[in-house]
Amino acid sequence: MSKTVSLYVYKVKDPAVAEAARKQAMAALGEGGGFLGWTGLRRPNGTDESTFADVIEWDSPEAQARADQQFIEDDRIAPFREQIAEMITGNPYQTV
Protein backbone atom coordinates (compact mmCIF):
# COMPACT_ATOMS: atom_id res chain seq x y z
CA MET A 1 0.00 0.00 0.00
CA SER A 2 1.30 3.43 -0.85
CA LYS A 3 1.24 6.43 1.42
CA THR A 4 -1.32 9.12 0.55
CA VAL A 5 -0.37 12.79 0.80
CA SER A 6 -3.10 15.42 0.61
CA LEU A 7 -2.19 18.92 -0.51
CA TYR A 8 -4.62 21.75 0.21
CA VAL A 9 -4.19 25.44 -0.58
CA TYR A 10 -6.96 27.79 0.55
CA LYS A 11 -7.82 31.27 1.75
CA VAL A 12 -9.20 31.91 5.23
CA LYS A 13 -11.46 34.61 6.64
CA ASP A 14 -9.34 35.53 9.66
CA PRO A 15 -5.76 34.19 9.76
CA ALA A 16 -5.42 34.28 13.57
CA VAL A 17 -8.75 32.54 14.17
CA ALA A 18 -8.08 30.05 11.38
CA GLU A 19 -4.66 29.16 12.82
CA ALA A 20 -6.17 28.26 16.20
CA ALA A 21 -9.02 26.33 14.58
CA ARG A 22 -6.56 24.46 12.34
CA LYS A 23 -4.65 23.25 15.41
CA GLN A 24 -7.90 21.91 16.86
CA ALA A 25 -8.66 20.17 13.55
CA MET A 26 -5.15 18.68 13.49
CA ALA A 27 -5.71 17.17 16.92
CA ALA A 28 -9.11 15.72 15.96
CA LEU A 29 -7.88 14.16 12.71
CA GLY A 30 -4.76 12.91 14.43
CA GLU A 31 -6.88 10.60 16.56
CA GLY A 32 -7.91 8.58 13.52
CA GLY A 33 -6.10 5.49 12.38
CA GLY A 34 -3.58 5.85 9.61
CA PHE A 35 -2.67 9.47 10.35
CA LEU A 36 1.05 10.12 9.78
CA GLY A 37 1.33 13.89 10.07
CA TRP A 38 0.07 17.35 9.15
CA THR A 39 2.31 20.23 8.16
CA GLY A 40 0.48 23.55 8.26
CA LEU A 41 1.94 26.38 6.18
CA ARG A 42 1.23 30.10 5.87
CA ARG A 43 2.47 32.80 3.55
CA PRO A 44 5.20 35.01 5.04
CA ASN A 45 4.19 38.15 6.93
CA GLY A 46 3.66 41.06 4.60
CA THR A 47 2.38 38.87 1.77
CA ASP A 48 -1.02 37.22 1.44
CA GLU A 49 -1.43 36.12 5.07
CA SER A 50 -4.90 34.75 4.38
CA THR A 51 -3.50 31.98 2.14
CA PHE A 52 -2.79 28.75 3.98
CA ALA A 53 -1.46 25.42 2.73
CA ASP A 54 -1.55 22.02 4.38
CA VAL A 55 0.30 18.80 3.63
CA ILE A 56 -1.37 15.87 5.39
CA GLU A 57 0.02 12.34 5.26
CA TRP A 58 -1.90 9.08 5.63
CA ASP A 59 -0.67 5.50 5.55
CA SER A 60 -3.28 4.49 2.94
CA PRO A 61 -5.96 5.86 0.60
CA GLU A 62 -8.57 4.32 2.90
CA ALA A 63 -7.30 6.29 5.90
CA GLN A 64 -7.38 9.47 3.84
CA ALA A 65 -10.97 8.75 2.73
CA ARG A 66 -12.05 8.20 6.36
CA ALA A 67 -10.42 11.50 7.32
CA ASP A 68 -12.25 13.31 4.52
CA GLN A 69 -15.54 12.06 5.98
CA GLN A 70 -14.47 13.01 9.50
CA PHE A 71 -13.55 16.49 8.26
CA ILE A 72 -17.13 16.96 7.07
CA GLU A 73 -18.89 15.42 10.08
CA ASP A 74 -16.75 16.13 13.18
CA ASP A 75 -18.07 19.08 15.21
CA ARG A 76 -14.57 19.71 16.60
CA ILE A 77 -13.49 20.58 13.06
CA ALA A 78 -16.46 22.88 12.34
CA PRO A 79 -14.66 26.08 13.47
CA PHE A 80 -11.88 25.35 10.98
CA ARG A 81 -14.29 24.52 8.14
CA GLU A 82 -16.09 27.81 8.82
CA GLN A 83 -12.84 29.77 8.42
CA ILE A 84 -12.20 28.49 4.89
CA ALA A 85 -13.29 31.26 2.53
CA GLU A 86 -11.98 29.82 -0.74
CA MET A 87 -10.47 26.48 -1.72
CA ILE A 88 -7.71 26.97 -4.28
CA THR A 89 -6.73 23.32 -4.58
CA GLY A 90 -7.30 20.18 -2.59
CA ASN A 91 -6.14 16.84 -3.91
CA PRO A 92 -4.77 13.56 -2.61
CA TYR A 93 -1.58 12.15 -4.12
CA GLN A 94 0.04 8.77 -3.66
CA THR A 95 3.71 8.04 -3.30
CA VAL A 96 5.33 6.18 -6.18
Side-chain angles (χ1 to χ4, degrees):
M1 224 45 58
S2 62
K3 179 170 72 171
T4 298
V5 179
S6 298
L7 171 63
Y8 300 98
V9 180
Y10 53 97
K11 291 189 176 281
V12 297
K13 297 173 184 173
D14 181 318
V17 173
E19 184 66 37
R22 177 165 62 178
K23 288 179 182 175
Q24 184 175 335
M26 285 178 176
L29 286 178
E31 295 173 359
F35 177 78
L36 298 176
W38 181 334
T39 302
L41 306 167
R42 288 181 63 179
R43 297 291 305 264
N45 289 338
T47 63
D48 185 0
E49 295 178 22
S50 68
T51 299
F52 282 27
D54 295 322
V55 179
I56 308 171
E57 297 182 69
W58 306 97
D59 68 4
S60 68
E62 294 79 18
Q64 187 266 328
R66 286 191 305 271
D68 282 352
Q69 194 63 35
Q70 180 185 2
F71 187 87
I72 294 166
E73 297 174 352
D74 193 322
D75 289 339
R76 297 172 296 172
I77 301 172
F80 182 55
R81 288 191 311 261
E82 292 166 4
Q83 280 297 311
I84 298 172
E86 175 188 350
M87 182 62 68
I88 297 168
T89 188
N91 294 295
Y93 298 88
Q94 292 183 333
T95 57
V96 293

